[in-house]
Structure formats: C-alpha cells, structure tokens
Amino acid sequence: QGLPYIDGLMLLNDSATGKTLAIMDGGFLTALRTGAVGGVGMRYFSPPTADSVGIVGAGRQGFYQAVYSCYARPIQDIYLFDAYKPDLSVYADDLAVELKDKRPQIHICRDIKELVARSRIIVTATPSREPVLPDDEQLLKGKCIIAIGSHTPHMRELPDAVWRSVDHVYTELPFAMEESGDLSQPLAARLLTPDQIRYIGDLLIAGGQAEPLAVDGTTCFKSVGMALLDLNVAWLIYQSAIS
C-alpha cells in the first residue's frame, strides 16, 4: 500500500522511575541503528581502501546502509538494484542529497550481476524468501557481503555459493542460527557448520581486526539485530535532543 515495510514506535523509559522520556519513530530508529551496524561490519570485514558499495533493495534500510558506508569507507561509487522498483531515479536523488558532502557517484544497475561485478562491498537489505545474489563463487570472490534482510527462518538472501566461498561468517548472537533463514537453512543442509559462525561482539571486545584481509578474500557479516542496539541508539538520540 506504499507504506514502509518496517513500522512501529519506540518508548524510551527511565530505568529508575519508569517515566517515559521520549517517543520515537521505531522504523527510522531501526534504519539508523541497522545502517550503523552495517557500517561497523564494513570497517571490520572490508579492506580500508574499498571504494564501491552495492545496495540490493532500495528501501529505508538500504538507504541508510548506503549512507553509513560512506562514513565507514572512502566510497566513490554506489550501485543500486531493486527487483521490484524499475525506476530508482528519485531514490538516487534523495541519496545524493543526503550525501551531498561526500559526493559519491550513484549508479542504477540493470541487473544483480552488474551490481555484484562492480561493487567491492555488497549489502542485501530485502524481505526476500529466495537468494537475491547470484549463486556464482567466481562472481562473489573478493567481496565483503553485509546481509541485513533475513530476520525470520523463511527469509533468505544469500545463495549457497557464499558458504563455498568463506571460511566463516560473523553475526551478533547464537540465536541468529535459529532466527535467520540465511543461517538456519545452510546449517540444516550442512553447507555451514556451527563452528564456522563467529560473533562480532567478541571481535569488538578484543579490539582487533577479524583476520588479515586478502585482496581476493570473501567475507560475510550476517546481521539480525537486537533490541539492545535500538536502546543504545535511542539513548544517544535522546541525549542529543536534550543537549
């Protein structure tokens, strides 16, 4: 019906008194924090020189993934593709306005293969139940894949070729192995084993890079999100508003 796919309200309460401090647009808040999570993934799993990003899924989530990519890496080119939106010209214009100080070139791709071939970082932000990337190991070789959309067991964005291309995948929590079809389905098919799943929190606490990133190395971060992230971002927004 032309409404945002994700909607809701965030009530931020004082933990000591229970008093409501702020009411926020939950969809916008989630888009901001998920964009930030994607940006963190890019900082840890893509080379510092990565200068191109492809956004699969031209929705609110994809928009802020593109925005944060330009703060995480020296992005010169943004590639857009959406299977259900043939005309992305207005979306591209809005993105250019948001990123006016960064001035990346924004390109609309004819198909998904063009996007994958031209992007060093690939972000999937769709509600798809079928893989949205090509099942082609050679085409995915050397890419940093940030998978955002699959947040139920029936949703899936990543093809089997991803699991043939990476040694391991990072996510936020063990529950992601049940919640996301991008993990639960390849685990059930034994394309992926539990010991190949690692947690970005461990990496952040350790303060180091994941591993030395090879020029042609393929990496994958599958984000499912958690309420703690929304809470932290809501608190930062509230503090900023008060100041």
Side-chain angles (χ1 to χ4, degrees):
Q1 298 181 40
L3 300 173
Y5 186 72
I6 296 174
D7 196 13
L9 293 176
M10 165 66 111
L11 301 175
L12 181 66
N13 300 321
D14 187 305
S15 60
T17 66
K19 178 183 177 182
T20 299
L21 302 175
I23 301 173
M24 301 183 186
D25 176 349
F28 180 59
L29 177 66
T30 296
L32 284 182
R33 69 92 165 150
T34 310
V37 169
V40 170
M42 293 172 205
R43 287 192 181 123
Y44 276 85
F45 306 119
S46 71
T49 56
D51 61 1
S52 58
V53 63
I55 306 295
V56 185
R60 204 176 201 183
Q61 293 289 337
F63 189 92
Y64 285 97
Q65 293 294 322
V67 169
Y68 276 87
S69 73
C70 293
Y71 289 89
R73 287 291 180 257
I75 300 297
Q76 301 297 313
D77 294 281
I78 297 173
Y79 298 96
L80 303 174
F81 176 75
D82 192 302
Y84 300 101
K85 297 178 183 177
D87 184 3
L88 296 179
S89 55
V90 173
Y91 190 88
D93 290 344
D94 290 344
L95 196 52
V97 170
E98 182 74 20
L99 290 168
K100 56 183 180 298
D101 295 334
K102 297 291 183 181
R103 294 186 176 85
Q105 295 293 311
I106 300 173
H107 315 270
I108 299 171
C109 295
R110 298 183 304 274
D111 54 47
I112 189 63
K113 287 189 175 181
E114 179 189 359
L115 180 143
V116 172
R118 300 177 73 177
S119 305
R120 182 62 180 82
I121 301 168
I122 301 166
V123 181
T124 58
T126 76
S128 180
R129 289 174 173 247
E130 302 290 338
V132 297
L133 299 181
D135 194 21
D136 184 334
E137 293 169 67
Q138 195 59 38
L139 198 58
L140 296 174
K141 186 177 181 180
K143 308 297 183 180
C144 169
I145 300 168
I146 308 292
I148 297 297
S150 170
H151 55 82
T152 75
H154 305 293
M155 298 171 76
R156 188 172 178 187
E157 297 183 302
L158 304 180
D160 292 346
V162 170
W163 313 122
R164 298 192 295 267
S165 304
V166 302
D167 294 326
H168 51 264
V169 57
Y170 277 84
T171 189
E172 291 105 338
L173 294 167
F175 187 64
M177 288 188 275
E178 300 173 34
E179 185 174 2
S180 171
D182 269 334
L183 297 179
S184 65
Q185 293 182 36
L187 282 167
R190 298 186 179 180
L191 298 170
L192 187 65
T193 59
D195 62 344
Q196 290 179 282
I197 297 175
R198 302 182 184 179
Y199 304 106
I200 192 169
D202 296 335
L203 190 63
L204 294 173
I205 291 168
Q209 195 71 23
E211 281 89 15
L213 292 169
V215 173
D216 60 351
T218 307
T219 57
C220 183
F221 172 47
K222 169 57 203 152
S223 175
V224 292
M226 51 184 172
L228 182 62
L229 303 176
D230 293 88
L231 178 59
N232 275 276
V233 173
W235 179 245
L236 289 169
I237 292 171
Y238 172 73
Q239 288 181 309
S240 177
I242 294 300
S243 66

PDB file of all heavy atoms in Angstrom, residues 111-145:
ATOM      1  N   ASP A 111      20.802  -5.123 -13.664  1.00  0.00           N
ATOM      2  CA  ASP A 111      20.525  -6.420 -13.053  1.00  0.00           C
ATOM      3  C   ASP A 111      21.495  -6.651 -11.907  1.00  0.00           C
ATOM      4  O   ASP A 111      22.433  -5.878 -11.695  1.00  0.00           O
ATOM      5  CB  ASP A 111      20.613  -7.555 -14.079  1.00  0.00           C
ATOM      6  CG  ASP A 111      21.946  -7.571 -14.829  1.00  0.00           C
ATOM      7  OD1 ASP A 111      23.003  -7.456 -14.176  1.00  0.00           O
ATOM      8  OD2 ASP A 111      21.936  -7.704 -16.070  1.00  0.00           O
ATOM      9  N   ILE A 112      21.271  -7.738 -11.170  1.00  0.00           N
ATOM     10  CA  ILE A 112      22.051  -8.010  -9.971  1.00  0.00           C
ATOM     11  C   ILE A 112      23.499  -8.367 -10.311  1.00  0.00           C
ATOM     12  O   ILE A 112      24.426  -8.042  -9.554  1.00  0.00           O
ATOM     13  CB  ILE A 112      21.382  -9.127  -9.126  1.00  0.00           C
ATOM     14  CG1 ILE A 112      22.061  -9.252  -7.764  1.00  0.00           C
ATOM     15  CG2 ILE A 112      21.377 -10.437  -9.869  1.00  0.00           C
ATOM     16  CD1 ILE A 112      21.948  -8.038  -6.883  1.00  0.00           C
ATOM     17  N   LYS A 113      23.726  -9.017 -11.439  1.00  0.00           N
ATOM     18  CA  LYS A 113      25.095  -9.397 -11.809  1.00  0.00           C
ATOM     19  C   LYS A 113      25.955  -8.165 -12.047  1.00  0.00           C
ATOM     20  O   LYS A 113      27.144  -8.144 -11.689  1.00  0.00           O
ATOM     21  CB  LYS A 113      25.080 -10.306 -13.041  1.00  0.00           C
ATOM     22  CG  LYS A 113      24.592 -11.716 -12.750  1.00  0.00           C
ATOM     23  CD  LYS A 113      24.804 -12.634 -13.936  1.00  0.00           C
ATOM     24  CE  LYS A 113      24.429 -14.065 -13.574  1.00  0.00           C
ATOM     25  NZ  LYS A 113      24.655 -15.001 -14.704  1.00  0.00           N
ATOM     26  N   GLU A 114      25.380  -7.141 -12.652  1.00  0.00           N
ATOM     27  CA  GLU A 114      26.129  -5.895 -12.858  1.00  0.00           C
ATOM     28  C   GLU A 114      26.529  -5.297 -11.518  1.00  0.00           C
ATOM     29  O   GLU A 114      27.672  -4.876 -11.319  1.00  0.00           O
ATOM     30  CB  GLU A 114      25.285  -4.894 -13.656  1.00  0.00           C
ATOM     31  CG  GLU A 114      26.007  -3.563 -13.875  1.00  0.00           C
ATOM     32  CD  GLU A 114      25.116  -2.484 -14.463  1.00  0.00           C
ATOM     33  OE1 GLU A 114      23.923  -2.759 -14.734  1.00  0.00           O
ATOM     34  OE2 GLU A 114      25.611  -1.350 -14.626  1.00  0.00           O
ATOM     35  N   LEU A 115      25.584  -5.264 -10.569  1.00  0.00           N
ATOM     36  CA  LEU A 115      25.877  -4.704  -9.244  1.00  0.00           C
ATOM     37  C   LEU A 115      27.002  -5.473  -8.560  1.00  0.00           C
ATOM     38  O   LEU A 115      27.948  -4.876  -8.027  1.00  0.00           O
ATOM     39  CB  LEU A 115      24.619  -4.712  -8.379  1.00  0.00           C
ATOM     40  CG  LEU A 115      24.779  -4.159  -6.959  1.00  0.00           C
ATOM     41  CD1 LEU A 115      23.538  -3.379  -6.536  1.00  0.00           C
ATOM     42  CD2 LEU A 115      25.054  -5.263  -5.940  1.00  0.00           C
ATOM     43  N   VAL A 116      26.914  -6.799  -8.565  1.00  0.00           N
ATOM     44  CA  VAL A 116      27.930  -7.621  -7.881  1.00  0.00           C
ATOM     45  C   VAL A 116      29.293  -7.431  -8.530  1.00  0.00           C
ATOM     46  O   VAL A 116      30.317  -7.286  -7.837  1.00  0.00           O
ATOM     47  CB  VAL A 116      27.508  -9.102  -7.886  1.00  0.00           C
ATOM     48  CG1 VAL A 116      28.634  -9.985  -7.363  1.00  0.00           C
ATOM     49  CG2 VAL A 116      26.253  -9.296  -7.046  1.00  0.00           C
ATOM     50  N   ALA A 117      29.334  -7.410  -9.844  1.00  0.00           N
ATOM     51  CA  ALA A 117      30.606  -7.287 -10.556  1.00  0.00           C
ATOM     52  C   ALA A 117      31.293  -5.957 -10.264  1.00  0.00           C
ATOM     53  O   ALA A 117      32.535  -5.896 -10.187  1.00  0.00           O
ATOM     54  CB  ALA A 117      30.379  -7.453 -12.056  1.00  0.00           C
ATOM     55  N   ARG A 118      30.532  -4.896 -10.061  1.00  0.00           N
ATOM     56  CA  ARG A 118      31.114  -3.557  -9.927  1.00  0.00           C
ATOM     57  C   ARG A 118      31.307  -3.107  -8.482  1.00  0.00           C
ATOM     58  O   ARG A 118      31.905  -2.061  -8.244  1.00  0.00           O
ATOM     59  CB  ARG A 118      30.226  -2.554 -10.672  1.00  0.00           C
ATOM     60  CG  ARG A 118      30.101  -2.861 -12.159  1.00  0.00           C
ATOM     61  CD  ARG A 118      29.171  -1.917 -12.886  1.00  0.00           C
ATOM     62  NE  ARG A 118      29.753  -0.591 -13.061  1.00  0.00           N
ATOM     63  CZ  ARG A 118      29.159   0.411 -13.721  1.00  0.00           C
ATOM     64  NH1 ARG A 118      27.961   0.217 -14.244  1.00  0.00           N
ATOM     65  NH2 ARG A 118      29.748   1.567 -13.838  1.00  0.00           N
ATOM     66  N   SER A 119      30.853  -3.895  -7.509  1.00  0.00           N
ATOM     67  CA  SER A 119      30.886  -3.471  -6.104  1.00  0.00           C
ATOM     68  C   SER A 119      31.903  -4.283  -5.315  1.00  0.00           C
ATOM     69  O   SER A 119      31.945  -5.513  -5.418  1.00  0.00           O
ATOM     70  CB  SER A 119      29.502  -3.643  -5.463  1.00  0.00           C
ATOM     71  OG  SER A 119      28.516  -2.953  -6.200  1.00  0.00           O
ATOM     72  N   ARG A 120      32.697  -3.607  -4.489  1.00  0.00           N
ATOM     73  CA  ARG A 120      33.620  -4.308  -3.574  1.00  0.00           C
ATOM     74  C   ARG A 120      32.892  -4.748  -2.314  1.00  0.00           C
ATOM     75  O   ARG A 120      33.188  -5.796  -1.741  1.00  0.00           O
ATOM     76  CB  ARG A 120      34.793  -3.384  -3.211  1.00  0.00           C
ATOM     77  CG  ARG A 120      35.840  -4.022  -2.301  1.00  0.00           C
ATOM     78  CD  ARG A 120      36.491  -5.213  -2.962  1.00  0.00           C
ATOM     79  NE  ARG A 120      37.499  -5.830  -2.118  1.00  0.00           N
ATOM     80  CZ  ARG A 120      37.262  -6.698  -1.147  1.00  0.00           C
ATOM     81  NH1 ARG A 120      36.013  -7.055  -0.902  1.00  0.00           N
ATOM     82  NH2 ARG A 120      38.236  -7.228  -0.437  1.00  0.00           N
ATOM     83  N   ILE A 121      31.964  -3.912  -1.849  1.00  0.00           N
ATOM     84  CA  ILE A 121      31.106  -4.243  -0.713  1.00  0.00           C
ATOM     85  C   ILE A 121      29.687  -4.430  -1.251  1.00  0.00           C
ATOM     86  O   ILE A 121      29.218  -3.617  -2.053  1.00  0.00           O
ATOM     87  CB  ILE A 121      31.118  -3.123   0.347  1.00  0.00           C
ATOM     88  CG1 ILE A 121      32.535  -2.876   0.871  1.00  0.00           C
ATOM     89  CG2 ILE A 121      30.170  -3.436   1.502  1.00  0.00           C
ATOM     90  CD1 ILE A 121      32.675  -1.606   1.699  1.00  0.00           C
ATOM     91  N   ILE A 122      29.004  -5.489  -0.805  1.00  0.00           N
ATOM     92  CA  ILE A 122      27.630  -5.749  -1.239  1.00  0.00           C
ATOM     93  C   ILE A 122      26.740  -5.835  -0.016  1.00  0.00           C
ATOM     94  O   ILE A 122      27.022  -6.595   0.916  1.00  0.00           O
ATOM     95  CB  ILE A 122      27.538  -7.062  -2.036  1.00  0.00           C
ATOM     96  CG1 ILE A 122      28.444  -7.013  -3.264  1.00  0.00           C
ATOM     97  CG2 ILE A 122      26.093  -7.346  -2.445  1.00  0.00           C
ATOM     98  CD1 ILE A 122      28.663  -8.364  -3.908  1.00  0.00           C
ATOM     99  N   VAL A 123      25.674  -5.039  -0.002  1.00  0.00           N
ATOM    100  CA  VAL A 123      24.708  -5.050   1.095  1.00  0.00           C
ATOM    101  C   VAL A 123      23.372  -5.560   0.567  1.00  0.00           C
ATOM    102  O   VAL A 123      22.853  -5.035  -0.425  1.00  0.00           O
ATOM    103  CB  VAL A 123      24.515  -3.646   1.697  1.00  0.00           C
ATOM    104  CG1 VAL A 123      23.523  -3.705   2.858  1.00  0.00           C
ATOM    105  CG2 VAL A 123      25.843  -3.060   2.155  1.00  0.00           C
ATOM    106  N   THR A 124      22.819  -6.578   1.231  1.00  0.00           N
ATOM    107  CA  THR A 124      21.482  -7.061   0.884  1.00  0.00           C
ATOM    108  C   THR A 124      20.509  -6.610   1.968  1.00  0.00           C
ATOM    109  O   THR A 124      20.717  -6.869   3.148  1.00  0.00           O
ATOM    110  CB  THR A 124      21.448  -8.588   0.744  1.00  0.00           C
ATOM    111  OG1 THR A 124      21.891  -9.193   1.969  1.00  0.00           O
ATOM    112  CG2 THR A 124      22.359  -9.038  -0.384  1.00  0.00           C
ATOM    113  N   ALA A 125      19.475  -5.902   1.568  1.00  0.00           N
ATOM    114  CA  ALA A 125      18.501  -5.353   2.519  1.00  0.00           C
ATOM    115  C   ALA A 125      17.105  -5.515   1.939  1.00  0.00           C
ATOM    116  O   ALA A 125      16.453  -4.540   1.563  1.00  0.00           O
ATOM    117  CB  ALA A 125      18.809  -3.888   2.810  1.00  0.00           C
ATOM    118  N   THR A 126      16.652  -6.770   1.863  1.00  0.00           N
ATOM    119  CA  THR A 126      15.382  -7.078   1.214  1.00  0.00           C
ATOM    120  C   THR A 126      14.535  -7.975   2.120  1.00  0.00           C
ATOM    121  O   THR A 126      15.058  -8.603   3.040  1.00  0.00           O
ATOM    122  CB  THR A 126      15.612  -7.825  -0.120  1.00  0.00           C
ATOM    123  OG1 THR A 126      15.965  -9.192   0.169  1.00  0.00           O
ATOM    124  CG2 THR A 126      16.714  -7.184  -0.942  1.00  0.00           C
ATOM    125  N   PRO A 127      13.237  -8.107   1.820  1.00  0.00           N
ATOM    126  CA  PRO A 127      12.383  -9.073   2.525  1.00  0.00           C
ATOM    127  C   PRO A 127      12.276 -10.401   1.778  1.00  0.00           C
ATOM    128  O   PRO A 127      11.308 -11.140   1.933  1.00  0.00           O
ATOM    129  CB  PRO A 127      11.032  -8.357   2.561  1.00  0.00           C
ATOM    130  CG  PRO A 127      11.015  -7.595   1.277  1.00  0.00           C
ATOM    131  CD  PRO A 127      12.438  -7.167   1.013  1.00  0.00           C
ATOM    132  N   SER A 128      13.257 -10.745   0.960  1.00  0.00           N
ATOM    133  CA  SER A 128      13.161 -11.889   0.068  1.00  0.00           C
ATOM    134  C   SER A 128      13.156 -13.231   0.807  1.00  0.00           C
ATOM    135  O   SER A 128      13.792 -13.393   1.850  1.00  0.00           O
ATOM    136  CB  SER A 128      14.342 -11.871  -0.910  1.00  0.00           C
ATOM    137  OG  SER A 128      14.262 -12.974  -1.789  1.00  0.00           O
ATOM    138  N   ARG A 129      12.454 -14.185   0.218  1.00  0.00           N
ATOM    139  CA  ARG A 129      12.463 -15.580   0.701  1.00  0.00           C
ATOM    140  C   ARG A 129      13.367 -16.453  -0.158  1.00  0.00           C
ATOM    141  O   ARG A 129      13.514 -17.645   0.115  1.00  0.00           O
ATOM    142  CB  ARG A 129      11.035 -16.143   0.712  1.00  0.00           C
ATOM    143  CG  ARG A 129      10.150 -15.529   1.802  1.00  0.00           C
ATOM    144  CD  ARG A 129       8.719 -15.999   1.693  1.00  0.00           C
ATOM    145  NE  ARG A 129       7.938 -15.524   2.837  1.00  0.00           N
ATOM    146  CZ  ARG A 129       7.433 -16.318   3.780  1.00  0.00           C
ATOM    147  NH1 ARG A 129       7.646 -17.624   3.728  1.00  0.00           N
ATOM    148  NH2 ARG A 129       6.730 -15.823   4.778  1.00  0.00           N
ATOM    149  N   GLU A 130      13.936 -15.883  -1.200  1.00  0.00           N
ATOM    150  CA  GLU A 130      14.846 -16.596  -2.086  1.00  0.00           C
ATOM    151  C   GLU A 130      16.139 -15.802  -2.203  1.00  0.00           C
ATOM    152  O   GLU A 130      16.128 -14.581  -2.097  1.00  0.00           O
ATOM    153  CB  GLU A 130      14.220 -16.772  -3.484  1.00  0.00           C
ATOM    154  CG  GLU A 130      12.892 -17.508  -3.504  1.00  0.00           C
ATOM    155  CD  GLU A 130      13.047 -18.979  -3.173  1.00  0.00           C
ATOM    156  OE1 GLU A 130      14.172 -19.506  -3.344  1.00  0.00           O
ATOM    157  OE2 GLU A 130      12.051 -19.590  -2.736  1.00  0.00           O
ATOM    158  N   PRO A 131      17.276 -16.470  -2.420  1.00  0.00           N
ATOM    159  CA  PRO A 131      18.543 -15.746  -2.559  1.00  0.00           C
ATOM    160  C   PRO A 131      18.461 -14.649  -3.611  1.00  0.00           C
ATOM    161  O   PRO A 131      17.906 -14.859  -4.699  1.00  0.00           O
ATOM    162  CB  PRO A 131      19.532 -16.841  -2.959  1.00  0.00           C
ATOM    163  CG  PRO A 131      18.970 -18.091  -2.350  1.00  0.00           C
ATOM    164  CD  PRO A 131      17.478 -17.939  -2.473  1.00  0.00           C
ATOM    165  N   VAL A 132      19.008 -13.498  -3.288  1.00  0.00           N
ATOM    166  CA  VAL A 132      18.976 -12.359  -4.209  1.00  0.00           C
ATOM    167  C   VAL A 132      20.302 -12.164  -4.932  1.00  0.00           C
ATOM    168  O   VAL A 132      20.371 -11.418  -5.897  1.00  0.00           O
ATOM    169  CB  VAL A 132      18.583 -11.061  -3.471  1.00  0.00           C
ATOM    170  CG1 VAL A 132      17.175 -11.159  -2.909  1.00  0.00           C
ATOM    171  CG2 VAL A 132      19.567 -10.720  -2.362  1.00  0.00           C
ATOM    172  N   LEU A 133      21.366 -12.825  -4.465  1.00  0.00           N
ATOM    173  CA  LEU A 133      22.668 -12.737  -5.121  1.00  0.00           C
ATOM    174  C   LEU A 133      22.861 -13.946  -6.031  1.00  0.00           C
ATOM    175  O   LEU A 133      22.308 -15.024  -5.778  1.00  0.00           O
ATOM    176  CB  LEU A 133      23.794 -12.684  -4.090  1.00  0.00           C
ATOM    177  CG  LEU A 133      23.777 -11.491  -3.122  1.00  0.00           C
ATOM    178  CD1 LEU A 133      24.974 -11.561  -2.182  1.00  0.00           C
ATOM    179  CD2 LEU A 133      23.759 -10.167  -3.867  1.00  0.00           C
ATOM    180  N   PRO A 134      23.669 -13.816  -7.080  1.00  0.00           N
ATOM    181  CA  PRO A 134      23.907 -14.942  -7.988  1.00  0.00           C
ATOM    182  C   PRO A 134      24.625 -16.084  -7.259  1.00  0.00           C
ATOM    183  O   PRO A 134      25.504 -15.848  -6.429  1.00  0.00           O
ATOM    184  CB  PRO A 134      24.800 -14.339  -9.080  1.00  0.00           C
ATOM    185  CG  PRO A 134      24.632 -12.855  -8.952  1.00  0.00           C
ATOM    186  CD  PRO A 134      24.345 -12.577  -7.522  1.00  0.00           C
ATOM    187  N   ASP A 135      24.255 -17.306  -7.585  1.00  0.00           N
ATOM    188  CA  ASP A 135      24.899 -18.486  -6.994  1.00  0.00           C
ATOM    189  C   ASP A 135      26.167 -18.804  -7.791  1.00  0.00           C
ATOM    190  O   ASP A 135      26.277 -19.849  -8.441  1.00  0.00           O
ATOM    191  CB  ASP A 135      23.924 -19.666  -7.013  1.00  0.00           C
ATOM    192  CG  ASP A 135      24.393 -20.808  -6.122  1.00  0.00           C
ATOM    193  OD1 ASP A 135      25.206 -20.555  -5.209  1.00  0.00           O
ATOM    194  OD2 ASP A 135      23.941 -21.943  -6.343  1.00  0.00           O
ATOM    195  N   ASP A 136      27.130 -17.884  -7.717  1.00  0.00           N
ATOM    196  CA  ASP A 136      28.327 -17.931  -8.556  1.00  0.00           C
ATOM    197  C   ASP A 136      29.542 -17.572  -7.706  1.00  0.00           C
ATOM    198  O   ASP A 136      29.743 -16.400  -7.379  1.00  0.00           O
ATOM    199  CB  ASP A 136      28.152 -16.952  -9.726  1.00  0.00           C
ATOM    200  CG  ASP A 136      29.296 -16.998 -10.724  1.00  0.00           C
ATOM    201  OD1 ASP A 136      30.412 -17.369 -10.345  1.00  0.00           O
ATOM    202  OD2 ASP A 136      29.061 -16.623 -11.888  1.00  0.00           O
ATOM    203  N   GLU A 137      30.346 -18.573  -7.350  1.00  0.00           N
ATOM    204  CA  GLU A 137      31.501 -18.329  -6.485  1.00  0.00           C
ATOM    205  C   GLU A 137      32.486 -17.347  -7.105  1.00  0.00           C
ATOM    206  O   GLU A 137      33.045 -16.491  -6.414  1.00  0.00           O
ATOM    207  CB  GLU A 137      32.219 -19.652  -6.196  1.00  0.00           C
ATOM    208  CG  GLU A 137      31.405 -20.609  -5.343  1.00  0.00           C
ATOM    209  CD  GLU A 137      32.021 -21.990  -5.311  1.00  0.00           C
ATOM    210  OE1 GLU A 137      33.125 -22.126  -4.742  1.00  0.00           O
ATOM    211  OE2 GLU A 137      31.395 -22.926  -5.844  1.00  0.00           O
ATOM    212  N   GLN A 138      32.701 -17.468  -8.403  1.00  0.00           N
ATOM    213  CA  GLN A 138      33.667 -16.600  -9.056  1.00  0.00           C
ATOM    214  C   GLN A 138      33.226 -15.144  -9.014  1.00  0.00           C
ATOM    215  O   GLN A 138      34.036 -14.238  -8.809  1.00  0.00           O
ATOM    216  CB  GLN A 138      33.877 -17.053 -10.509  1.00  0.00           C
ATOM    217  CG  GLN A 138      35.109 -16.454 -11.187  1.00  0.00           C
ATOM    218  CD  GLN A 138      36.400 -16.772 -10.467  1.00  0.00           C
ATOM    219  OE1 GLN A 138      36.572 -17.883  -9.959  1.00  0.00           O
ATOM    220  NE2 GLN A 138      37.307 -15.806 -10.390  1.00  0.00           N
ATOM    221  N   LEU A 139      31.932 -14.920  -9.203  1.00  0.00           N
ATOM    222  CA  LEU A 139      31.410 -13.556  -9.190  1.00  0.00           C
ATOM    223  C   LEU A 139      31.472 -12.953  -7.786  1.00  0.00           C
ATOM    224  O   LEU A 139      31.657 -11.742  -7.628  1.00  0.00           O
ATOM    225  CB  LEU A 139      29.973 -13.552  -9.705  1.00  0.00           C
ATOM    226  CG  LEU A 139      29.386 -12.216 -10.180  1.00  0.00           C
ATOM    227  CD1 LEU A 139      30.220 -11.615 -11.301  1.00  0.00           C
ATOM    228  CD2 LEU A 139      27.949 -12.398 -10.631  1.00  0.00           C
ATOM    229  N   LEU A 140      31.321 -13.785  -6.755  1.00  0.00           N
ATOM    230  CA  LEU A 140      31.336 -13.304  -5.366  1.00  0.00           C
ATOM    231  C   LEU A 140      32.742 -13.237  -4.776  1.00  0.00           C
ATOM    232  O   LEU A 140      32.925 -12.714  -3.672  1.00  0.00           O
ATOM    233  CB  LEU A 140      30.471 -14.218  -4.488  1.00  0.00           C
ATOM    234  CG  LEU A 140      28.977 -14.260  -4.823  1.00  0.00           C
ATOM    235  CD1 LEU A 140      28.276 -15.307  -3.973  1.00  0.00           C
ATOM    236  CD2 LEU A 140      28.329 -12.895  -4.635  1.00  0.00           C
ATOM    237  N   LYS A 141      33.714 -13.745  -5.488  1.00  0.00           N
ATOM    238  CA  LYS A 141      35.087 -13.793  -4.981  1.00  0.00           C
ATOM    239  C   LYS A 141      35.615 -12.399  -4.677  1.00  0.00           C
ATOM    240  O   LYS A 141      35.477 -11.469  -5.468  1.00  0.00           O
ATOM    241  CB  LYS A 141      35.994 -14.474  -6.006  1.00  0.00           C
ATOM    242  CG  LYS A 141      37.416 -14.699  -5.519  1.00  0.00           C
ATOM    243  CD  LYS A 141      38.232 -15.438  -6.573  1.00  0.00           C
ATOM    244  CE  LYS A 141      39.654 -15.686  -6.079  1.00  0.00           C
ATOM    245  NZ  LYS A 141      40.459 -16.407  -7.097  1.00  0.00           N
ATOM    246  N   GLY A 142      36.201 -12.240  -3.485  1.00  0.00           N
ATOM    247  CA  GLY A 142      36.803 -10.971  -3.105  1.00  0.00           C
ATOM    248  C   GLY A 142      35.828  -9.923  -2.610  1.00  0.00           C
ATOM    249  O   GLY A 142      36.210  -8.783  -2.391  1.00  0.00           O
ATOM    250  N   LYS A 143      34.564 -10.293  -2.393  1.00  0.00           N
ATOM    251  CA  LYS A 143      33.563  -9.326  -1.966  1.00  0.00           C
ATOM    252  C   LYS A 143      33.388  -9.364  -0.447  1.00  0.00           C
ATOM    253  O   LYS A 143      33.563 -10.397   0.195  1.00  0.00           O
ATOM    254  CB  LYS A 143      32.211  -9.621  -2.620  1.00  0.00           C
ATOM    255  CG  LYS A 143      32.253  -9.775  -4.140  1.00  0.00           C
ATOM    256  CD  LYS A 143      32.700  -8.513  -4.846  1.00  0.00           C
ATOM    257  CE  LYS A 143      32.658  -8.707  -6.373  1.00  0.00           C
ATOM    258  NZ  LYS A 143      33.094  -7.487  -7.099  1.00  0.00           N
ATOM    259  N   CYS A 144      33.025  -8.228   0.116  1.00  0.00           N
ATOM    260  CA  CYS A 144      32.565  -8.139   1.508  1.00  0.00           C
ATOM    261  C   CYS A 144      31.044  -8.080   1.455  1.00  0.00           C
ATOM    262  O   CYS A 144      30.478  -7.130   0.911  1.00  0.00           O
ATOM    263  CB  CYS A 144      33.129  -6.903   2.194  1.00  0.00           C
ATOM    264  SG  CYS A 144      32.375  -6.556   3.805  1.00  0.00           S
ATOM    265  N   ILE A 145      30.397  -9.094   2.019  1.00  0.00           N
ATOM    266  CA  ILE A 145      28.940  -9.195   1.951  1.00  0.00           C
ATOM    267  C   ILE A 145      28.354  -8.860   3.317  1.00  0.00           C
ATOM    268  O   ILE A 145      28.693  -9.493   4.319  1.00  0.00           O
ATOM    269  CB  ILE A 145      28.509 -10.609   1.519  1.00  0.00           C
ATOM    270  CG1 ILE A 145      29.085 -10.923   0.134  1.00  0.00           C
ATOM    271  CG2 ILE A 145      26.985 -10.727   1.513  1.00  0.00           C
ATOM    272  CD1 ILE A 145      28.969 -12.384  -0.257  1.00  0.00           C
TER     273      ILE A 145
END
